[in-house]
C-alpha cells in the first residue's frame, strides 16, 4: 500500500505531501548520491509518544554524509526539531520517520560537489515490516546469490542510497522465490546481515552477530546487545559461516523496520524447533518493553514528542 501523510519537512519548510517534488536532473536520482535514516516513533502506555534512539539515528545520518563527502547542511539540533515537528504536524502517534539528504540538480557528471545538498524528513504510519505473523512466528529467509559489498567497494557503515541497489537485488530475488527476507554473505562467504536488518544467531545460550566492520552498525543491533548483556547472555561479535546459521538453535533479525523478528527457516532448513526460541522471545520482550516505556531502564533511549 502506498505510504502517505499530510506534510513533509523540505529544506526547513513544511510542504504538502503532494507538493514535495524534486527536479528530474537531481544528481542523486542519476548516481545514488543520497543518504537516509529509518527511525520509529512509538506510542507509550502513558498516552505519549516517543522516538526510539533519535540522537543515535541522527548521528549516523550525519556520519553517512561525512563518509559520502557531502556533509549534512543542518546540525543535529535542527534535525531533531525537524523530526519532532513532522510527527506533531502529521498528528502521528506511531510512525516510521525517513530523513533523507540528497545531492540536488546543477552540475551533471560524477564530480558535482557544488550542487546543493537538500534534506527532507517524511513520516507515516507503518506496521511490522516483515508482517505481524513474522514478528510472532518467525520468517522464512534465504541466502541471496548476491554478495554483500566488499568494504572497499561501498562504504558499508553508511546508509548511502546507492548501497541499497545490492539489497534491492537480493530482496527481489528471494521474495520472487517465495521467501520473506534475504540474508547476505560477505565476499569471503561469511554471514553479514540481511537486506535491511542485522542478524543474530543463538547457540547453547550464547549470541553471535557479525562485527560492524562490513555491515551497517544497526542501532537496534546495539540496543539488543546491550539488553542481552544486561540479562547475562554472552554476545560475541565475530564472523561465522553459513553452516553455523543452519545449525543455530535460534536466529533473529534486528532493525528499525523489522524490530526483533525471529527466523524460523533458512534455505529450507528449519532453525531450531522452527518457531521463536526462548532467547529470542526474551530479548524481543525486553526490546518491546523499552520502546513502549514499560521498562525502568533505558528511558534515555526515548525522546518524547
Ligand atoms: C543494511 C541494513 N542493515 C541493518 C539495518 C538495521 O539498522 P537499524 O537497527 O539501525 O535500523 C538496516 C536498517 O537501517 C539496514 O538497512
Amino acid at each position: 500500500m502506498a505510504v502517505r501523510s499530510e506534510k513533509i519537512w523540505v529544506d526547513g519548510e513544511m510542504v504538502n505531501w503532494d507538493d514535495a517534488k524534486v527536479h528530474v536532473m537531481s544528481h542523486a536520482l542519476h548516481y545514488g548520491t543520497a543518504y537516509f535514516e529509518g527511525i520509529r516513533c512509538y506510542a507509550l502506555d502513558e498516552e505519549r509518544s516517543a522516538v526510539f534512539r533519535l540522537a543515535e539515528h541522527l548521528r549516523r545520518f550525519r556520519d553517512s554524509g561525512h563518509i559520502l563527502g557531502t556533509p549534512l547542511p543542518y546540525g543535529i539540533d535542527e534535525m531533531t526539531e525537524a523530526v519532532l515537528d513532522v510527527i506533531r504536524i502529521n498528528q502521528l502517534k506511531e510512525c516510521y520517520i525517513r530523513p533523507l539528504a540528497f545531492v540536488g540538480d546543477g552540475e551533471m557528471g560524477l564530480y558535482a560537489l557544488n550542487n546543493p545538498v537538500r534534506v527532507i524528513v517524511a513520516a507515516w504510519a507503518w506496521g511490522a515490516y516483515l508482517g505481524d505473523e513474522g514478528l510472532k512466528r518467525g520468517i522464512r529467509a534465504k541466502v541471496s546469490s548476491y554478495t554483500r559489498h566488499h568494504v572497499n567497494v561501498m562504504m558499508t557503515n553508511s546508509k548511502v542510497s546507492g548501497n541499497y541497489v545490492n539489497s534491492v537485488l537480493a530482496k527481489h530475488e528471494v521474495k520472487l522465490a517465495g521467501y520473506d527476507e534475504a540474508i547476505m554473505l560477505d565476499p569471503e562467504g561469511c554471514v553479514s546481515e540481511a537486506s535491511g536488518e542485522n542478524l543474530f544467531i543463538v547457540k547453547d545460550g550464547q549470541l553471535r552477530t557479525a562485527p560492524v566492520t562490513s555491515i551497517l552498525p544497526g542501532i537496534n543491533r546495539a540496543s539488543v546487545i546491550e539488553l542481552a548483556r544486561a540479562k547475562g547472555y554472552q554476545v560475541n561479535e565475530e564472523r561465522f559461516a553459513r553452516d553455523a546459521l543452519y545449525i543455530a538453535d535460534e536466529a533473529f533479525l534486528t532493525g528499525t523496520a523489522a524490530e526483533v523478528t525471529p527466523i524460523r527457516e533458512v534455505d529450507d532448513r528449519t532453525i531450531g524447533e522452527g518457531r521463536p526460541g526462548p532467547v529470542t522471545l526474551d530479548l524481543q520482550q525486553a526490546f518491546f518493553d523499552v520502546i513502549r516505556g514499560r521498562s525502568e531502564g533505558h528511558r534515555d533511549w526515548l525522546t518524547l514528542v
Side-chain angles (χ1 to χ4, degrees):
M1 213 176 70
V3 301
R4 195 182 170 87
S5 60
E6 292 293 317
K7 303 268 185 195
I8 299 182
W9 185 97
V10 181
D11 296 327
E13 309 282 338
M14 286 296 174
V15 176
N16 288 331
W17 182 279
D18 289 328
D19 299 328
K21 305 228 165 88
V22 296
H23 199 279
V24 292
M25 295 306 279
S26 295
H27 195 267
L29 201 53
H30 297 249
Y31 304 115
T33 45
Y35 46 98
F36 64 98
E37 268 305 315
I39 311 173
R40 269 194 196 269
C41 169
Y42 293 98
L44 307 182
D45 285 346
E46 63 236 44
E47 308 231 329
R48 302 226 19 207
S49 295
V51 182
F52 184 62
R53 307 207 75 170
L54 179 57
E56 289 81 357
H57 279 286
L58 291 178
R59 270 205 298 274
R60 191 173 64 186
F61 191 41
R62 186 189 54 194
D63 289 349
S64 290
H66 181 75
I67 290 171
L68 185 60
T70 53
L72 187 65
Y74 297 95
I76 298 283
D77 289 348
E78 286 169 293
M79 291 313 308
T80 302
E81 277 316 303
V83 167
L84 297 175
D85 285 349
V86 167
I87 300 168
R88 289 182 195 126
I89 204 164
N90 286 296
Q91 299 185 323
L92 292 161
K93 291 264 166 266
E94 292 213 319
C95 59
Y96 183 87
I97 304 140
R98 167 56 53 84
L100 169 82
F102 63 97
V103 180
D105 55 309
E107 293 281 330
M108 258 297 142
L110 299 183
Y111 188 75
L113 285 180
N114 291 325
N115 287 15
V117 176
R118 306 196 49 200
V119 183
I120 68 108
V121 183
W124 62 88
W126 218 21
Y129 178 64
L130 295 170
D132 289 325
E133 275 294 294
L135 263 187
K136 259 191 241 134
R137 300 193 204 295
I139 57 144
R140 298 176 62 239
K142 179 167 173 53
V143 173
S144 172
S145 69
Y146 295 100
T147 302
R148 195 39 130 197
H149 303 294
H150 180 283
V151 290
N152 205 27
V153 169
M154 285 291 192
M155 301 292 99
T156 56
N157 275 196
S158 71
K159 272 183 88 69
V160 168
S161 298
N163 290 9
Y164 278 80
V165 174
N166 179 243
S167 285
V168 169
L169 289 168
K171 184 85 180 182
H172 286 181
E173 178 187 36
V174 306
K175 284 288 282 184
L176 291 172
Y179 299 85
D180 303 309
E181 189 51 292
I183 294 172
M184 322 279 305
L185 306 182
D186 70 18
E188 279 79 47
C190 287
V191 175
S192 63
E193 58 184 339
S195 68
E197 302 88 17
N198 294 117
L199 187 148
F200 287 79
I201 58 172
V202 182
K203 187 79 179 171
D204 300 328
Q206 293 190 4
L207 290 101
R208 277 164 102 184
T209 189
V212 293
T213 326
S214 58
I215 58 170
L216 188 77
I219 287 158
N220 293 275
R221 173 189 177 282
S223 306
V224 164
I225 290 176
E226 206 171 320
L227 293 171
R229 287 188 176 143
K231 281 177 164 285
Y233 295 111
Q234 188 172 329
V235 185
N236 301 313
E237 296 181 65
E238 62 187 19
R239 298 170 85 213
F240 57 92
R242 185 172 179 166
D243 44 14
L245 173 59
Y246 288 164
I247 59 169
D249 300 329
E250 303 176 36
F252 63 90
L253 301 173
T254 63
T256 298
E259 301 168 311
V260 178
T261 297
I263 302 174
R264 64 180 156 90
E265 204 183 292
V266 176
D267 294 346
D268 304 301
R269 290 154 178 87
T270 301
I271 301 299
E273 302 288 318
R275 57 174 181 268
V279 178
T280 305
L281 290 173
D282 191 20
L283 295 173
Q284 200 185 40
Q285 188 60 48
F287 176 79
F288 281 119
D289 283 347
V290 170
I291 60 173
R292 297 271 172 223
R294 289 177 196 142
S295 169
E296 283 299 301
H298 303 300
R299 294 294 288 202
D300 57 324
W301 288 357
L302 305 176
T303 302
L304 292 173
V305 177

